[in-house]
């Protein structure tokens, strides 16, 4: 269910961006290249939404073939945090899904009711001219069609409706109406439905006037007569909407000379390129999917023993073998990294609820690694026993596509440290290790990446305890000073 709601959210974001761009360009494009080219701008919406449904980019990271199941989330159940999330999150998702379905049902019912009203008006001979039907569209006219319109006006009115059928406009309007029902909560979906109809009529007018250049006056008079009796049609094509502005705009375009064939060809090529670019941009905006690819097991070698340099233990990525607040412990081969080395510590809310620290204690976890692209990641956050709303420290990413998340659970003098590449600590990208205070260990993620972690503990200060009673402040990722 959460996946379906995520897809719906992505589609609405793409729809909103495409509608905004179309509304920005429709008038300038119409003025330069004509109504038919401007109507083509609405192809931005289906292109962007279709791109959101395509498979996302895949980032593969190697996973050792012999890797055993990780203990990444074993401690979550023990502390009870996972149970709490499982109890609250599904109920919210079910409520949102029920609200969306209820709103869609109401919108669909209103659509059917309006269509039924128009059908009754057609049977009574009061509706039209319009095009109705999807599989077999047909033109409907009122009973007084021959009395209300002159023969010349009748020809242009019927030509207008036949143009709608040739351009498959009834199918377009049905798809727009259904999209409006599915996205009833998005105001831009209703903006799309209104202005697409206007541009559709303008494009149809331009094509009919190009075919009947001597019938401009008759065309304008027919518009005025139809405007007085127009009935909205949800599924189909009808003449002007009952408002003065679209009618004035349509009649005004009849008096202008349309662009030449070269201008229309240039505008059409530009719109096609813009639609393609919008689809590519929407697809690129989707987050990449991280996939663990199996790595063939490496057979043991029988050559000569490794040299002393090769057999030396691997050093942490940032050259740290121990992190402590005691300057006396700093010496050769060790570096002292006190709090605030990268600037003033900040409050971070991400994944804070996963940590559990004894009252009166402050546990600091320094974690370092390299992402699959080789970019160093550092997360240095301190969890407090007085609250679990935020942690204090910094996060360094160096513009990486990844972010390193950590959590800690204190059990006496031992610390269960968990590190992962997402705040939900999913099993695929998460690992855990148990360490003592001041001890450095390496967490091997299922993907084969390694994270060096070091926990330290100290008493919580009176200021930190008092600060915990106030509201938490959300801070974004900082870019720290260089070493």
């Amino acid at each position: 269910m959460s996946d379906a709601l995520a897809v719906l959210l992505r589609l609405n974001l793409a729809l909103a961006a495409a509608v905004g761009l179309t509304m920005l360009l429709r008038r300038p494009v119409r003025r330069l290249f004509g109504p038919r080219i401007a109507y083509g701008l609405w192809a931005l919406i289906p292109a962007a939404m279709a791109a959101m449904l395509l498979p996302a980019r895949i980032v593969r990271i190697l996973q050792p073939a012999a890797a055993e199941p990780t203990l990444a989330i074993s401690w979550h159940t023990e502390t009870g945090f996972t149970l709490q999330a499982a109890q609250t999150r599904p109920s919210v998702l079910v409520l949102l899904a029920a609200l969306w379905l209820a709103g869609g049902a109401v919108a669909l019912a209103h659509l059917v009711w309006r269509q039924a009203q128009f059908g009754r008006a057609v049977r009574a001979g009061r509706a039209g001219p319009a095009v109705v039907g999807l599989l077999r569209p047909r033109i409907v006219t009122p009973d007084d069609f021959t009395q209300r319109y002159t023969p010349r006006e009748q020809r242009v009115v019927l030509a207008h409706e036949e143009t709608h059928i040739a351009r498959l406009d009834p199918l377009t309007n049905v798809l727009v109406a259904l999209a409006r029902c599915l996205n009833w909560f998005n105001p831009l979906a209703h903006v799309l439905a209104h202005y697409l109809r206007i541009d559709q009529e303008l494009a149809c007018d331009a094509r009919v006037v190009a075919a009947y250049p001597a019938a401009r006056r008759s065309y304008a008079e027919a518009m005025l007569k139809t405007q007085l009796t127009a009935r909205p049609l949800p599924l189909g094509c009808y003449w002007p909407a009952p408002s003065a502005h679209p009618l004035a705009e349509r009649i005004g375009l009849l008096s202008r000379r349309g662009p030449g064939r070269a201008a229309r060809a240039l505008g059409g090529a530009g719109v096609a390129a813009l639609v393609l670019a919008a689809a590519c941009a929407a697809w690129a905006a989707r987050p990449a999917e991280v996939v663990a690819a199996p790595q063939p097991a490496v057979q043991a070698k029988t050559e000569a023993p490794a040299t002393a340099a090769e057999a030396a233990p691997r050093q942490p990525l940032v050259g740290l073998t121990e992190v402590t607040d005691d300057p006396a412990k700093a010496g050769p081969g060790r570096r002292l990294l006190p709090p605030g080395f990268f600037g003033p510590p900040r409050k971070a809310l991400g994944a804070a609820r996963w940590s559990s620290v004894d009252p009166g204690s402050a546990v600091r976890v320094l974690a370092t690694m390299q992402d699959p692209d080789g970019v160093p990641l550092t997360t240095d956050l301190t969890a407090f026993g007085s609250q679990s709303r935020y942690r204090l420290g910094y996060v360094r990413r160096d513009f990486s596509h990844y972010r390193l998340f950590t959590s800690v659970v204190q059990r006496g003098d031992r610390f269960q440290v968990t590190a992962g590449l997402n705040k939900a600590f999913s099993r695929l990208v998460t690992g855990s290790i148990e360490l003592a205070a001041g001890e450095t260990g390496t967490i091997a993620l299922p993907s084969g990446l390694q994270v060096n972690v070091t926990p330290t503990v100290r008493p919580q200060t009176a200021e930190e305890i008092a600060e915990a009673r106030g509201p938490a402040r959300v801070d974004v990722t900082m870019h720290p000073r260089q070493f």
Side-chain angles (χ1 to χ4, degrees):
M1 183 178 299
S2 61
D3 294 338
L5 292 178
V7 171
L8 182 64
L9 176 60
R10 288 201 304 267
L11 290 177
N12 275 272
L13 291 176
L15 183 147
V19 170
L21 181 60
T22 303
M23 294 297 296
L24 184 66
L25 296 177
R26 56 189 287 269
R27 286 185 179 276
V29 171
R30 184 196 307 158
R31 186 167 52 252
L32 293 174
F33 305 109
R36 285 181 278 181
I37 303 302
Y39 179 58
L41 286 172
W42 293 102
L44 288 169
I45 288 90
M49 296 179 70
M52 281 295 178
L53 296 176
L54 295 176
R57 294 176 293 113
I58 297 178
V59 176
R60 290 183 172 85
I61 51 181
L62 297 180
Q63 178 180 9
E68 297 182 357
T70 179
L71 300 177
I73 59 175
S74 60
W75 61 271
H76 292 169
T77 304
E78 297 174 10
T79 59
F81 293 119
T82 299
L83 296 178
Q84 181 181 1
Q87 293 171 359
T88 57
R89 186 179 179 186
S91 61
V92 175
L93 295 179
V94 170
L95 179 61
L96 291 176
L99 181 62
W100 172 62
L101 291 175
V106 171
L108 183 61
H110 180 68
L111 179 71
V112 172
W113 176 73
R114 290 179 58 195
Q115 188 72 16
Q117 275 192 323
F118 190 87
R120 287 194 294 269
V122 169
R123 290 189 294 271
R126 300 191 307 269
V131 175
V132 297
L134 178 60
L135 299 179
R136 293 181 179 180
R138 68 184 189 280
I139 300 174
V140 296
T141 57
D143 291 344
D144 61 346
F145 181 70
T146 55
Q147 290 79 27
R148 187 191 312 172
Y149 300 96
T150 66
R152 196 170 189 177
E153 294 171 352
Q154 295 175 27
R155 285 196 299 271
V156 294
V157 167
L158 296 177
H160 179 97
E161 304 303 336
E162 290 171 356
T163 302
H164 276 308
I165 297 175
R167 291 166 55 95
L168 301 179
D169 288 340
L171 176 60
T172 300
N173 294 338
V174 168
L175 295 177
V176 170
L178 294 179
R180 192 177 183 181
C181 293
L182 292 175
N183 305 283
W184 56 269
F185 54 88
N186 190 342
L188 289 177
H190 306 284
V191 171
L192 157 68
H194 176 73
Y195 286 98
L196 180 139
R197 284 290 185 98
I198 293 177
D199 287 350
Q200 186 181 88
E201 294 299 325
L202 294 176
C204 195
D205 292 343
R207 188 167 179 175
V208 173
V209 169
Y212 299 90
R216 294 175 182 266
R217 181 179 180 85
S218 299
Y219 201 80
E221 292 174 352
M223 282 186 188
L224 181 59
K225 293 178 181 179
T226 307
Q227 174 80 8
L228 299 177
T229 58
R231 290 177 176 269
L233 174 60
L235 304 179
C237 304
Y238 64 97
W239 269 51
S243 61
H245 176 66
L247 178 62
E249 192 172 12
R250 293 179 69 181
I251 294 179
L253 287 176
L254 294 179
S255 60
R256 303 175 192 170
R257 183 178 179 181
R261 182 176 300 177
R264 292 198 304 271
L266 179 62
V271 169
L274 182 61
V275 170
L276 180 61
C280 294
W283 180 79
R286 291 193 57 184
E289 179 181 356
V290 180
V291 176
Q295 180 180 11
V298 180
Q299 298 180 353
K301 297 182 179 180
T302 58
E303 289 85 355
T307 62
E310 294 174 345
R314 184 177 179 182
Q315 297 295 325
L317 298 176
V318 296
L320 294 175
T321 57
E322 184 176 351
V323 176
T324 178
D325 293 333
D326 187 0
K329 292 185 179 181
R334 298 179 179 178
R335 297 187 62 181
L336 180 67
L337 189 61
F341 181 83
F342 284 98
R346 300 290 184 91
K347 293 178 183 177
L349 300 186
R353 69 185 187 279
W354 298 117
S355 295
S356 177
V357 178
D358 293 344
S361 298
V363 178
R364 176 187 178 198
V365 175
L366 172 68
T368 59
M369 68 172 293
Q370 287 183 349
D371 71 6
D373 299 324
V375 179
L377 303 177
T378 303
T379 297
D380 184 0
L381 295 174
T382 299
F384 303 99
S386 59
Q387 52 83 25
S388 59
R389 293 179 296 118
Y390 66 86
R391 290 177 293 172
L392 196 64
Y394 70 90
V395 176
R396 178 182 181 181
R397 299 175 60 187
D398 288 342
F399 304 102
S400 170
H401 295 292
Y402 301 85
R403 184 175 179 182
L404 177 59
F405 294 87
T406 61
S407 66
V408 60
V409 174
Q410 184 179 5
R411 298 191 182 97
D413 58 351
R414 303 293 292 179
F415 302 90
Q416 184 80 19
V417 180
T418 300
L421 296 181
N422 59 22
K423 66 174 61 177
F425 293 108
S426 59
R427 188 181 297 270
L428 181 63
V429 291
T430 304
S432 296
I433 192 172
E434 186 172 308
L435 299 169
E439 183 181 0
T440 298
T442 300
I443 298 176
L445 302 183
S447 60
L449 300 175
Q450 293 185 345
V451 185
N452 298 316
V453 294
T454 304
T456 58
V457 62
R458 61 172 175 79
Q460 194 173 1
T461 65
E463 290 79 6
E464 291 169 342
I465 295 175
E467 176 68 16
R469 299 191 183 100
R473 174 172 53 89
V474 183
D475 290 294
V476 298
T477 301
M478 300 186 304
H479 294 287
R481 299 194 303 265
Q482 298 296 324
F483 284 88

